[in-house]
Amino acid sequence: MVLPITGLIIGIVIGVVFPITVPLEYAKFMSVALLASLDSVFGGLRAGIEEKFDNTVFITGFFTNALLAAGLVYIGDRLGIDLYYVSLLAFGLRIFQNLAIIRRYFLKK
Amino acid sequence: MLPIKQGQFAIALVCVVLGVMLAVQFRTTQDIRSSIPYQRVEDLSQRLSQTEKERDALINQVQELKRTSGAEAASKELERVRMGAGVIAVEGPGIIVTIDDSKRPSKPGENPNLYLIHDDDILKVINELWAAGAEAISINEQRLIASSEVRCAGPTLSVNNSRYSPPYEVRVIGEPTTLENALKMRGGVIETLQFWGIQVTIKKQDDVKVPAYKGAFRFEFAKPLKEGGN
């Protein structure tokens, strides 16, 4: 648990120190990708607790989820449908589920 | 601590990426909030369409002028000049602003002058109205023209060399909403005046009648310049 938190802090520090900005029109993509990676992290934590963790599944899941989400947003933009909300809903739901499972493990212990 | 045995490194790696994304996204969102208020975009697009309408109207006017004969154009021009000079009474949509002295008694030790209307208060109102696109303004039946003065004359106000005491009625022709908003602007004229309890009422009206300038024009010193001179 210590390692992921340190990683998170390191990442935030890098992000704050380096003046990286996303163009405004890509901000939406970024937010969905952010949610996807948040979901991946919680999924990974859950798998780690359940001792079913698979490195390949985790890493590929992370990238495909982020790309798929961004792609959905892009297509939605083109078609004039807010597919954006679909990914928001799906990822949000999964984050809650994963968190609930993690919490149960924590309580059982 | 949670019993995570596997994948600590992979999760930590992803967490680094997540952290970077979080920081960047925070900054971007802040940029959006601070740099481009969405309202401004709407405002600009509205102004653009308005300007386009104006342009089209002007093009029409040019074509119309080209078609009509010279005499007709001249008489139209004369009408416009007379309206601009304020020598004919005009009517149209606009607002009527009534300004009266403060009813509030001045506190001991305070300057009672602060609670009275002065020439500069009226001037500020007039200035704001002209800036907001007013086409004709009168103060208590005196049409404001190029040579009008608004000046303190003891406890009264002198406009076109006629004296008036409060309340002052300012009749304005122009886009009523724009005029009203210009006066009621935050930190604007009315807010400043009302701080001292000076009573200002604004009434929107579909046909405001603004009287003509009643005086005569006398030019002793000025004479027209010869054509082509500078």
Side-chain angles (χ1 to χ4, degrees), chain A residues 29-42 62 65-66 69 84-93 95, chain B residues 18 21-22:
Chain A
F29 295 80
M30 187 71 178
S31 57
V32 175
L34 187 68
L35 206 63
S37 56
L38 206 62
D39 170 56
S40 293
V41 170
F42 281 119
F62 171 68
N65 273 351
Y84 178 69
Y85 293 111
V86 175
S87 37
L88 278 192
L89 209 69
F91 285 127
L93 222 69
I95 288 174
Chain B
L18 181 69
M21 282 165 86
L22 266 176

Side-chain angles (χ1 to χ4, degrees), chain B residues 90-163:
Chain B
V90 286
E91 64 169 354
I95 59 171
I96 297 175
V97 187
T98 320
I99 308 174
D100 203 349
D101 280 343
S102 177
K103 288 268 189 294
R104 203 188 295 165
S106 62
K107 296 181 194 94
E110 238 178 355
N111 187 355
N113 261 332
L114 290 171
Y115 295 94
L116 298 178
I117 306 161
H118 294 280
D119 48 348
D120 49 352
D121 296 331
I122 299 285
L123 278 172
K124 265 182 218 151
V125 172
I126 301 294
N127 210 16
E128 198 63 54
L129 289 168
W130 285 131
E135 288 171 7
I137 299 183
S138 71
I139 300 177
N140 285 10
E141 300 302 307
Q142 285 295 335
R143 176 76 173 267
L144 286 190
I145 59 163
S147 57
S148 290
E149 91 289 1
V150 176
R151 176 170 161 266
C152 230
T156 57
L157 202 73
S158 155
V159 182
N160 289 347
N161 280 322
S162 308
R163 288 181 177 193

Side-chain angles (χ1 to χ4, degrees), chain B:
Chain B
M1 271 296 140
L2 292 176
I4 302 171
K5 283 153 195 145
Q6 302 164 311
Q8 289 243 12
F9 272 104
I11 294 173
L13 209 72
V14 170
C15 273
V16 173
V17 179
L18 181 69
V20 174
M21 282 165 86
L22 266 176
V24 170
Q25 185 67 14
F26 262 113
R27 188 181 296 133
T28 313
T29 321
Q30 239 168 13
D31 282 356
I32 292 174
R33 292 239 176 90
S34 59
S35 69
I36 304 179
Y38 291 108
Q39 270 190 333
R40 179 136 179 81
V41 178
E42 270 173 37
D43 188 38
L44 283 177
S45 64
Q46 209 172 26
R47 241 195 271 175
L48 177 69
S49 69
Q50 200 186 341
T51 316
E52 277 174 347
K53 253 186 233 163
E54 265 177 37
R55 182 201 61 191
D56 293 342
L58 284 175
I59 289 172
N60 280 340
Q61 204 182 337
V62 167
Q63 280 170 348
E64 200 184 322
L65 281 177
K66 274 181 187 164
R67 263 191 282 114
T68 51
S69 62
E72 205 178 320
S75 78
K76 257 189 191 169
E77 188 66 30
L78 182 66
E79 183 95 318
R80 256 218 297 277
V81 169
R82 278 157 64 91
M83 260 163 66
V87 293
I88 51 174
V90 286
E91 64 169 354
I95 59 171
I96 297 175
V97 187
T98 320
I99 308 174
D100 203 349
D101 280 343
S102 177
K103 288 268 189 294
R104 203 188 295 165
S106 62
K107 296 181 194 94
E110 238 178 355
N111 187 355
N113 261 332
L114 290 171
Y115 295 94
L116 298 178
I117 306 161
H118 294 280
D119 48 348
D120 49 352
D121 296 331
I122 299 285
L123 278 172
K124 265 182 218 151
V125 172
I126 301 294
N127 210 16
E128 198 63 54
L129 289 168
W130 285 131
E135 288 171 7
I137 299 183
S138 71
I139 300 177
N140 285 10
E141 300 302 307
Q142 285 295 335
R143 176 76 173 267
L144 286 190
I145 59 163
S147 57
S148 290
E149 91 289 1
V150 176
R151 176 170 161 266
C152 230
T156 57
L157 202 73
S158 155
V159 182
N160 289 347
N161 280 322
S162 308
R163 288 181 177 193
Y164 292 98
S165 56
Y168 303 109
E169 189 194 56
V170 183
R171 290 166 166 263
V172 193
I173 293 179
E175 219 288 295
T177 326
T178 315
L179 293 173
E180 191 185 4
N181 289 344
L183 289 181
K184 282 187 173 169
M185 204 156 49
R186 257 229 190 146
V189 190
I190 287 193
E191 213 181 87
T192 325
L193 289 179
Q194 275 174 345
F195 179 75
W196 298 109
I198 286 172
Q199 301 163 42
V200 185
T201 51
I202 298 178
K203 210 168 69 187
K204 284 199 243 185
Q205 227 172 58
D206 279 338
D207 66 325
V208 176
K209 289 186 177 67
V210 173
Y213 175 64
K214 295 182 191 84
F217 294 101
R218 279 193 321 147
F219 292 102
E220 271 179 53
F221 302 102
K223 51 178 177 256
L225 207 59
K226 285 280 172 293
E227 198 72 31
N230 276 313

